[in-house]
Amino acid sequence: MAKASVVFSKDNEYYTPKYVVDFFYPNGFDYDPATCEGKAKEFGVKHYDTIETDGLAQDWTPYDRIWINPPFTDKHKFLAKAVETYKKAHNTIYVLFPIEFLTTARFHDLDCHCKLFIPRGRINFESGLGKEGKSPAFGSVVIKLADEDTVEYIDLKDSSKNVDDYINIETVTGHVNGTTITPKKPWYR
Ligand SMILES: C[S@@+](CC[C@H](N)C(=O)[O-])C[C@H]1O[C@@H](n2cnc3c(N)ncnc32)[C@H](O)[C@@H]1O
């Protein structure tokens, strides 16, 4: 049961089809700061926050692999927090966004680097748990926070490929505040 003080917006209840999340991490993400219980269970995310527990109020630095399709009305706040978290923890953070946002001053002013994954075609978001939505009026981009800017063109519907075909594990090795960061686990990227 939702808390009385929580205001749900229809614009925010559009969900990512599972094949999109599986493309980036078939073994599952550790944390999703903006979700609902049903979607977190479907994706097999171990830790998550919902509108009731407020992901923006939490510390994201302990998690290795974070998936975010932010609520539309607060999307810039979630991206700003993802950038701030990456700068501190150098963790793996994927953020799904409307591609148009890349042209905004708000994005340019974020002072971040990222690997942009540009999908072929549009993602049909689900208009409720298990409900297929209509084709959206905008394209999407998946932003992976990184130390350098790169772009990859991907086909999410090509089930013979996943993110491993586009990411060189060497690229996660780097230096943060004088400390060498190396992959923590073979699948850490
Ligand atoms: C666009 S949906 C994405 C859901 C899921 N992560 C996915 O990829 O399909 C955004 C979700 O974030 C929830 N939400 C809204 N404000 C939130 C907040 N402050 N903290 C956590 N979740 C929030 C919404 O209720 C909605 O279920």
Side-chain angles (χ1 to χ4, degrees):
M1 188 74 155
K3 282 189 208 156
S5 57
V6 167
V7 180
F8 280 89
S9 158
K10 196 166 155 274
D11 288 346
N12 291 339
E13 302 310 316
Y14 276 87
Y15 306 122
T16 318
K18 189 167 184 298
Y19 72 84
V20 174
V21 175
D22 285 349
F23 178 94
F24 292 99
Y25 264 122
N27 294 331
F29 282 85
D30 291 341
Y31 179 57
D32 182 338
T35 194
C36 59
E37 197 181 332
K39 218 51 199 170
K41 294 230 159 86
E42 184 192 355
F43 292 165
V45 184
K46 290 185 210 125
H47 306 274
Y48 60 91
D49 281 293
T50 66
I51 192 166
E52 284 143 313
T53 54
D54 189 8
L56 286 172
Q58 312 302 327
D59 177 10
W60 303 355
T61 60
Y63 304 106
D64 281 343
R65 308 185 309 277
I66 303 177
W67 169 258
I68 313 171
N69 172 4
F72 197 79
T73 48
D74 279 337
K75 58 186 178 307
H76 55 285
K77 293 186 195 161
F78 277 84
L79 185 58
K81 183 157 173 124
V83 170
E84 182 193 305
T85 302
Y86 180 78
K87 283 182 180 168
K88 285 188 207 148
H90 231 70
N91 38 9
T92 299
I93 308 179
Y94 288 94
V95 193
L96 195 155
F97 244 72
I99 199 162
E100 166 66 12
F101 190 77
L102 300 179
T103 67
T104 63
R106 214 172 217 171
F107 179 70
H108 284 238
D109 292 345
L110 266 178
D111 183 28
C112 69
H113 295 288
C114 41
K115 189 172 187 86
L116 298 177
F117 290 93
I118 302 184
R120 181 188 175 101
R122 289 184 179 168
I123 298 170
N124 273 359
F125 293 97
E126 296 168 0
S127 59
L129 284 181
K131 287 192 205 155
E132 202 167 311
K134 291 193 200 109
S135 180
F138 53 84
S140 303
V141 62
V142 177
I143 301 169
K144 177 181 188 279
L145 296 171
D147 294 335
E148 317 178 328
D149 295 313
T150 50
V151 175
E152 297 290 350
Y153 294 90
I154 55 172
D155 185 352
L156 291 165
K157 296 249 163 100
D158 179 354
S159 57
S160 69
K161 287 194 173 162
N162 70 22
V163 77
D164 286 340
D165 296 297
Y166 302 93
I167 291 194
N168 178 350
I169 201 149
E170 300 292 318
T171 59
V172 300
T173 307
H175 296 273
V176 180
N177 299 333
T179 307
T180 302
I181 304 293
T182 47
K184 290 184 187 165
K185 299 173 187 147
W187 40 257
Y188 182 81
R189 53 192 184 249

